[in-house]
mmCIF file of all heavy atoms in Angstrom:
data_model
loop_
_atom_site.group_PDB
_atom_site.id
_atom_site.type_symbol
_atom_site.label_atom_id
_atom_site.label_comp_id
_atom_site.label_asym_id
_atom_site.label_seq_id
_atom_site.Cartn_x
_atom_site.Cartn_y
_atom_site.Cartn_z
ATOM 1 N N GLY A 1 -7.573 5.846 -14.276
ATOM 2 C CA GLY A 1 -7.598 4.434 -13.874
ATOM 3 C C GLY A 1 -8.053 4.310 -12.329
ATOM 4 O O GLY A 1 -8.486 5.369 -11.757
ATOM 5 N N GLN A 2 -8.034 3.134 -11.798
ATOM 6 C CA GLN A 2 -8.459 2.905 -10.422
ATOM 7 C C GLN A 2 -7.302 2.239 -9.732
ATOM 8 O O GLN A 2 -7.492 1.757 -8.628
ATOM 9 C CB GLN A 2 -9.725 2.130 -10.337
ATOM 10 C CG GLN A 2 -10.968 2.821 -10.940
ATOM 11 C CD GLN A 2 -11.262 4.006 -10.159
ATOM 12 O OE1 GLN A 2 -11.220 4.163 -8.959
ATOM 13 N NE2 GLN A 2 -11.528 5.051 -10.979
ATOM 14 N N GLY A 3 -6.187 2.213 -10.364
ATOM 15 C CA GLY A 3 -5.033 1.407 -9.759
ATOM 16 C C GLY A 3 -4.461 1.936 -8.442
ATOM 17 O O GLY A 3 -3.852 1.147 -7.602
ATOM 18 N N PHE A 4 -4.740 3.133 -8.137
ATOM 19 C CA PHE A 4 -4.142 3.685 -6.870
ATOM 20 C C PHE A 4 -5.174 3.442 -5.727
ATOM 21 O O PHE A 4 -4.756 3.205 -4.599
ATOM 22 C CB PHE A 4 -3.847 5.228 -7.076
ATOM 23 C CG PHE A 4 -2.540 5.370 -7.821
ATOM 24 C CD1 PHE A 4 -2.652 5.742 -9.133
ATOM 25 C CD2 PHE A 4 -1.366 5.241 -7.132
ATOM 26 C CE1 PHE A 4 -1.456 5.870 -9.910
ATOM 27 C CE2 PHE A 4 -0.110 5.409 -7.986
ATOM 28 C CZ PHE A 4 -0.285 5.802 -9.321
ATOM 29 N N SER A 5 -6.444 3.745 -5.905
ATOM 30 C CA SER A 5 -7.338 3.503 -4.882
ATOM 31 C C SER A 5 -7.869 2.215 -4.773
ATOM 32 O O SER A 5 -8.296 1.855 -3.606
ATOM 33 C CB SER A 5 -8.634 4.554 -5.095
ATOM 34 O OG SER A 5 -9.205 4.191 -6.351
ATOM 35 N N GLU A 6 -7.752 1.263 -5.698
ATOM 36 C CA GLU A 6 -8.212 -0.073 -5.674
ATOM 37 C C GLU A 6 -7.153 -1.102 -5.877
ATOM 38 O O GLU A 6 -7.500 -2.327 -5.746
ATOM 39 C CB GLU A 6 -9.354 -0.275 -6.587
ATOM 40 C CG GLU A 6 -10.598 0.527 -6.364
ATOM 41 C CD GLU A 6 -11.773 0.375 -7.332
ATOM 42 O OE1 GLU A 6 -11.601 -0.464 -8.194
ATOM 43 O OE2 GLU A 6 -12.664 1.110 -7.337
ATOM 44 N N GLY A 7 -6.011 -0.740 -6.279
ATOM 45 C CA GLY A 7 -4.989 -1.750 -6.613
ATOM 46 C C GLY A 7 -3.701 -1.502 -5.759
ATOM 47 O O GLY A 7 -3.736 -1.272 -4.574
ATOM 48 N N ALA A 8 -2.623 -1.713 -6.521
ATOM 49 C CA ALA A 8 -1.331 -1.647 -5.826
ATOM 50 C C ALA A 8 -0.950 -0.327 -5.321
ATOM 51 O O ALA A 8 -0.163 -0.209 -4.352
ATOM 52 C CB ALA A 8 -0.261 -2.186 -6.741
ATOM 53 N N GLY A 9 -1.560 0.701 -5.796
ATOM 54 C CA GLY A 9 -1.309 2.085 -5.341
ATOM 55 C C GLY A 9 -1.816 2.309 -3.854
ATOM 56 O O GLY A 9 -1.243 3.241 -3.281
ATOM 57 N N ARG A 10 -2.583 1.409 -3.375
ATOM 58 C CA ARG A 10 -2.945 1.689 -1.899
ATOM 59 C C ARG A 10 -1.773 1.635 -1.039
ATOM 60 O O ARG A 10 -1.805 2.158 0.091
ATOM 61 C CB ARG A 10 -3.989 0.608 -1.579
ATOM 62 C CG ARG A 10 -5.470 0.795 -2.149
ATOM 63 C CD ARG A 10 -6.309 -0.185 -1.781
ATOM 64 N NE ARG A 10 -5.810 -1.466 -2.295
ATOM 65 C CZ ARG A 10 -6.446 -2.670 -2.289
ATOM 66 N NH1 ARG A 10 -7.511 -2.810 -1.406
ATOM 67 N NH2 ARG A 10 -5.909 -3.684 -2.695
ATOM 68 N N LEU A 11 -0.740 1.027 -1.427
ATOM 69 C CA LEU A 11 0.493 0.998 -0.562
ATOM 70 C C LEU A 11 0.958 2.416 -0.209
ATOM 71 O O LEU A 11 1.579 2.611 0.796
ATOM 72 C CB LEU A 11 1.475 0.137 -1.417
ATOM 73 C CG LEU A 11 1.534 -1.347 -1.252
ATOM 74 C CD1 LEU A 11 2.591 -1.932 -2.092
ATOM 75 C CD2 LEU A 11 1.609 -1.846 0.096
ATOM 76 N N LEU A 12 0.776 3.257 -1.104
ATOM 77 C CA LEU A 12 1.251 4.720 -0.965
ATOM 78 C C LEU A 12 0.685 5.314 0.298
ATOM 79 O O LEU A 12 1.303 6.094 0.926
ATOM 80 C CB LEU A 12 0.996 5.549 -2.091
ATOM 81 C CG LEU A 12 1.786 5.180 -3.453
ATOM 82 C CD1 LEU A 12 1.340 6.092 -4.564
ATOM 83 C CD2 LEU A 12 3.314 5.382 -3.185
ATOM 84 N N ALA A 13 -0.589 4.984 0.579
ATOM 85 C CA ALA A 13 -1.350 5.548 1.733
ATOM 86 C C ALA A 13 -1.233 4.585 2.913
ATOM 87 O O ALA A 13 -1.140 5.099 4.000
ATOM 88 C CB ALA A 13 -2.852 5.742 1.373
ATOM 89 N N SER A 14 -1.210 3.312 2.798
ATOM 90 C CA SER A 14 -1.266 2.428 4.029
ATOM 91 C C SER A 14 0.084 1.803 4.359
ATOM 92 O O SER A 14 0.108 1.633 5.658
ATOM 93 C CB SER A 14 -2.320 1.179 3.657
ATOM 94 O OG SER A 14 -1.661 0.494 2.509
ATOM 95 N N ALA A 15 0.995 1.728 3.558
ATOM 96 C CA ALA A 15 2.206 0.908 3.962
ATOM 97 C C ALA A 15 2.998 1.725 5.147
ATOM 98 O O ALA A 15 3.592 1.093 5.882
ATOM 99 C CB ALA A 15 3.087 0.830 2.742
ATOM 100 N N PRO A 16 3.076 3.089 5.180
ATOM 101 C CA PRO A 16 3.832 3.578 6.260
ATOM 102 C C PRO A 16 3.273 3.375 7.576
ATOM 103 O O PRO A 16 4.057 3.491 8.570
ATOM 104 C CB PRO A 16 3.734 5.127 5.960
ATOM 105 C CG PRO A 16 3.340 5.175 4.447
ATOM 106 C CD PRO A 16 2.633 4.041 4.172
ATOM 107 N N TYR A 17 2.025 2.864 7.740
ATOM 108 C CA TYR A 17 1.494 2.519 8.975
ATOM 109 C C TYR A 17 1.433 1.067 9.360
ATOM 110 O O TYR A 17 0.816 0.623 10.325
ATOM 111 C CB TYR A 17 -0.018 3.183 9.010
ATOM 112 C CG TYR A 17 0.053 4.635 8.673
ATOM 113 C CD1 TYR A 17 -0.462 4.976 7.510
ATOM 114 C CD2 TYR A 17 0.563 5.558 9.556
ATOM 115 C CE1 TYR A 17 -0.331 6.396 7.118
ATOM 116 C CE2 TYR A 17 0.604 6.913 9.194
ATOM 117 C CZ TYR A 17 0.040 7.306 8.110
ATOM 118 O OH TYR A 17 0.010 8.675 7.739
ATOM 119 N N GLN A 18 1.880 0.220 8.348
ATOM 120 C CA GLN A 18 1.871 -1.176 8.620
ATOM 121 C C GLN A 18 3.227 -1.522 9.406
ATOM 122 O O GLN A 18 4.243 -0.951 9.241
ATOM 123 C CB GLN A 18 1.763 -1.868 7.228
ATOM 124 C CG GLN A 18 0.505 -1.707 6.541
ATOM 125 C CD GLN A 18 0.526 -2.506 5.282
ATOM 126 O OE1 GLN A 18 1.531 -2.999 4.872
ATOM 127 N NE2 GLN A 18 -0.542 -2.487 4.617
ATOM 128 N N ARG A 19 3.108 -2.663 10.047
ATOM 129 C CA ARG A 19 4.223 -3.125 10.896
ATOM 130 C C ARG A 19 5.259 -3.778 9.937
ATOM 131 O O ARG A 19 6.440 -3.787 10.277
ATOM 132 C CB ARG A 19 3.867 -4.022 11.997
ATOM 133 C CG ARG A 19 3.052 -3.321 12.950
ATOM 134 C CD ARG A 19 2.690 -4.183 14.155
ATOM 135 N NE ARG A 19 1.765 -3.505 15.071
ATOM 136 C CZ ARG A 19 1.979 -3.325 16.319
ATOM 137 N NH1 ARG A 19 3.051 -3.856 16.794
ATOM 138 N NH2 ARG A 19 1.161 -2.605 17.002
ATOM 139 N N THR A 20 4.753 -4.518 9.029
ATOM 140 C CA THR A 20 5.722 -5.307 8.103
ATOM 141 C C THR A 20 5.837 -4.605 6.748
ATOM 142 O O THR A 20 4.830 -4.042 6.258
ATOM 143 C CB THR A 20 5.119 -6.746 7.822
ATOM 144 O OG1 THR A 20 3.908 -6.611 7.229
ATOM 145 C CG2 THR A 20 5.023 -7.660 9.118
ATOM 146 N N PRO A 21 7.101 -4.581 6.254
ATOM 147 C CA PRO A 21 7.243 -3.775 5.080
ATOM 148 C C PRO A 21 6.743 -4.590 3.931
ATOM 149 O O PRO A 21 6.537 -5.836 4.028
ATOM 150 C CB PRO A 21 8.815 -3.743 5.032
ATOM 151 C CG PRO A 21 9.323 -4.757 5.803
ATOM 152 C CD PRO A 21 8.322 -5.016 6.903
ATOM 153 N N PRO A 22 6.372 -3.966 2.841
ATOM 154 C CA PRO A 22 5.758 -4.709 1.600
ATOM 155 C C PRO A 22 6.708 -5.484 1.019
ATOM 156 O O PRO A 22 8.059 -5.302 1.102
ATOM 157 C CB PRO A 22 5.406 -3.543 0.726
ATOM 158 C CG PRO A 22 6.168 -2.405 1.097
ATOM 159 C CD PRO A 22 6.501 -2.510 2.627
ATOM 160 N N ASP A 23 6.313 -6.625 0.421
ATOM 161 C CA ASP A 23 7.278 -7.608 -0.180
ATOM 162 C C ASP A 23 7.682 -7.143 -1.509
ATOM 163 O O ASP A 23 7.159 -6.081 -2.038
ATOM 164 C CB ASP A 23 6.745 -9.003 -0.261
ATOM 165 C CG ASP A 23 5.423 -9.150 -1.001
ATOM 166 O OD1 ASP A 23 5.096 -8.091 -1.649
ATOM 167 O OD2 ASP A 23 4.907 -10.212 -1.163
ATOM 168 N N LYS A 24 8.654 -7.831 -2.180
ATOM 169 C CA LYS A 24 9.070 -7.521 -3.492
ATOM 170 C C LYS A 24 8.089 -7.376 -4.600
ATOM 171 O O LYS A 24 7.975 -6.518 -5.398
ATOM 172 C CB LYS A 24 10.228 -8.408 -3.816
ATOM 173 C CG LYS A 24 11.230 -7.940 -4.881
ATOM 174 C CD LYS A 24 12.230 -9.049 -5.065
ATOM 175 C CE LYS A 24 13.642 -8.631 -5.070
ATOM 176 N NZ LYS A 24 14.606 -9.621 -5.378
#
């Protein structure tokens, strides 16, 4: 699939570097 590179899975790579945590 493409869910990690184009969908919700991008959080695995980008979220640790964001200032605000992801929402529910």
Side-chain angles (χ1 to χ4, degrees):
Q2 297 296 319
F4 286 99
S5 59
E6 296 177 7
R10 289 180 293 178
L11 283 174
L12 293 176
S14 64
Y17 306 107
Q18 295 177 354
R19 293 179 186 240
T20 60
D23 64 2
K24 203 180 225 183

